[in-house]
């Protein structure tokens, strides 16, 4: 299934596929780096991205082709002159709308060729002019994309906040949905998987933001963030049974096995698919790679906890068989999570038994009240000492 058609398709300005290739070259799997480098420099040449070419040559310590660079600079200057001429003509012979369109085209061109500073400055100047709310919103969306392109969260975060304010003033349905996708990507990049999953699932049937990612990638991220953050009953209802996911899940390697094996308690299959997902999707994602170790750990804990919920006790041998792992591995893995307070069980090493000790809800509440009461008393005592002084 392809993404839903959008009559007002937002241009890929800048093209985030190049940011992905840049990531693969520096941090992705070694076997993918040469292909990514070729694709990146082909796109740079095709789009005459002189400013970005200079950045990438310095970053990758690649040979600098002066003739190529000069040719691209000349092409950039030629195109920018056209925009300037168009703006002058609009000022002399047309109206404010045409003038703004000329300035916007020039700003878009700067963004397209990877000239971050000039693009931001051109957009900022345009925001100072008398423009429609829709154009203002679209410019701020472009700020967010530039932030994603250059991996600059200091540009992404405040502009998402600004988008919320602008859209509340009169953003249309399409822009409201687009904001959910942009914010979901940002939340995923800072490890707020629960917030990201909620926004992604809300826009499954209305996704049009192909300037950010393909529809398949969007579904992939929706599934990955949901599995780590949602309850089992919600996963069944909103992910496993979602028609939008079911239509494309078979086209995304390993994801269907990963999703179904956990829900269906096929733990050995789940561990194999988790390893495959790590290689195919986590290591190749610039949004998820920084959180890969966390993601793998949390999914293992989730699988262990799901199995243990069904038993008061079980043998280490049976658990090792269920996960397709050795007893030694299971013993060491469980020990780490038990010691960290992440699994409610104990291991009887003598008898080779794992005993669960689910905490009583009322007792947990009582302990929480005691703890909070102690904190309150400490603060009162500190305050009284200050008052006495």
């Amino acid at each position: 299934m392809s993404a839903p058609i959008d009559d007002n398709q937002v241009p890929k300005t800048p093209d985030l596929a190049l940011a992905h290739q840049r990531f693969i070259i520096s941090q992705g799997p070694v076997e993918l780096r040469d292909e990514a480098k070729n694709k990146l420099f082909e796109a740079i040449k095709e789009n005459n991205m002189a400013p970005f070419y200079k950045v990438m040559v310095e970053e990758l310590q690649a040979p600098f082709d002066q003739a190529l660079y000069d040719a691209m600079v000349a092409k950039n200057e030629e195109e920018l002159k056209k925009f300037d001429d168009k703006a002058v003509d609009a000022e002399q012979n047309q109206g404010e709308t045409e003038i703004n369109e000329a300035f916007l085209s020039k700003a878009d061109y700067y963004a397209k060729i990877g000239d971050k500073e000039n693009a931001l400055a051109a957009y900022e100047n345009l925001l100072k002019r008398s423009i429609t709310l829709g154009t203002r919103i679209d410019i701020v969306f472009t700020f967010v994309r530039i932030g994603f392109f250059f991996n600059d969260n200091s540009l992404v975060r405040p502009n998402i906040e600004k988008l919320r304010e602008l859209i509340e003033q009169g953003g249309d349905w399409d822009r409201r949905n687009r904001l959910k996708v942009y914010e979901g990507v940002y939340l995923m990049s800072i490890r707020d998987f629960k917030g990201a999953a909620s926004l992604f699932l809300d826009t499954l049937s209305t996704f049009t933001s192909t300037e950010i990612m393909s529809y398949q990638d969007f579904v992939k991220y929706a599934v990955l963030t949901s599995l780590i953050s949602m309850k089992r009953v919600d996963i069944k209802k909103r992910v496993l049974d979602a028609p939008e996911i079911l239509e494309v899940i078979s086209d995304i390697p390993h994801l269907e096995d990963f999703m179904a094996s956990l829900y269906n308690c096929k733990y050995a299959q789940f561990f194999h698919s988790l390893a495959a997902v790590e290689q195919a999707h986590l290591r190749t994602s610039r949004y998820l790679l920084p959180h890969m170790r966390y993601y793998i750990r949390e999914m293992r804990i989730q699988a262990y906890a799901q199995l243990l919920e069904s038993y008061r006790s079980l043998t280490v041998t049976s658990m090792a068989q269920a996960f397709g792992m050795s007893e030694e591995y299971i013993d060491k893995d469980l020990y780490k999570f038990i010691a960290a307070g992440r699994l409610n069980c104990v291991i009887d090493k003598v008898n080779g038994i794992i005993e669960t000790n689910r905490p009583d809800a009322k007792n947990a509440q009582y302990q929480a009240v005691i703890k909070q009461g102690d904190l309150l008393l400490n603060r009162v005592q500190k305050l009284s000492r200050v008052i006495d002084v």
Side-chain angles (χ1 to χ4, degrees), residues 11 37 57-58 240 245 272:
K37 187 175 182 179
V57 165
E58 291 175 359
L240 268 73
I245 290 176
H272 284 294

Side-chain angles (χ1 to χ4, degrees), residues 15-61:
D15 187 353
L16 294 182
L18 302 186
H20 171 71
Q21 304 301 347
R22 180 183 185 180
F23 157 76
I24 292 295
I25 294 168
S26 60
Q27 299 181 60
V30 174
E31 64 272 16
L32 301 179
R33 294 184 181 182
D34 286 341
E35 181 185 1
K37 187 175 182 179
N38 291 335
K39 286 183 178 179
L40 178 66
F41 280 98
E42 284 173 11
I44 287 173
K45 293 175 186 176
E46 182 180 343
N47 294 287
N48 296 297
M49 303 174 70
F52 193 57
Y53 174 74
K54 196 171 183 180
V55 169
M56 292 312 304
V57 165
E58 291 175 359
E59 181 177 305
L60 301 176
Q61 298 183 336

Side-chain angles (χ1 to χ4, degrees), residues 45-113:
K45 293 175 186 176
E46 182 180 343
N47 294 287
N48 296 297
M49 303 174 70
F52 193 57
Y53 174 74
K54 196 171 183 180
V55 169
M56 292 312 304
V57 165
E58 291 175 359
E59 181 177 305
L60 301 176
Q61 298 183 336
F64 186 83
D65 188 332
Q66 188 67 51
L68 173 63
Y69 178 72
D70 291 342
M72 291 193 292
V73 168
K75 185 64 176 176
N76 293 163
E77 292 174 348
E78 178 186 335
E79 290 297 317
L80 291 169
K81 186 177 184 304
K82 290 180 183 178
F83 296 127
D84 290 336
D85 292 343
K86 185 178 178 181
V88 171
D89 178 67
E91 288 174 348
Q92 294 174 351
N93 305 308
Q94 301 179 60
E96 191 72 18
T97 300
E98 289 76 17
I99 296 172
N100 290 337
E101 286 176 356
F103 287 148
L104 180 59
S105 296
K106 184 177 182 180
D108 286 343
Y109 186 73
Y110 277 129
K112 180 182 178 182
I113 63 175

Side-chain angles (χ1 to χ4, degrees), residues 148-167:
F148 285 146
F149 187 87
F150 289 99
N151 198 28
D152 183 358
N153 276 347
S154 66
L155 188 58
V156 173
R157 188 184 310 109
N159 282 297
I160 284 179
E161 295 293 336
K162 191 179 295 183
L163 279 169
R164 285 204 201 99
E165 297 172 7
L166 291 171
I167 287 175

Side-chain angles (χ1 to χ4, degrees), residues 63 89 140 234 348:
D89 178 67
V140 181
D234 295 324
D348 181 345

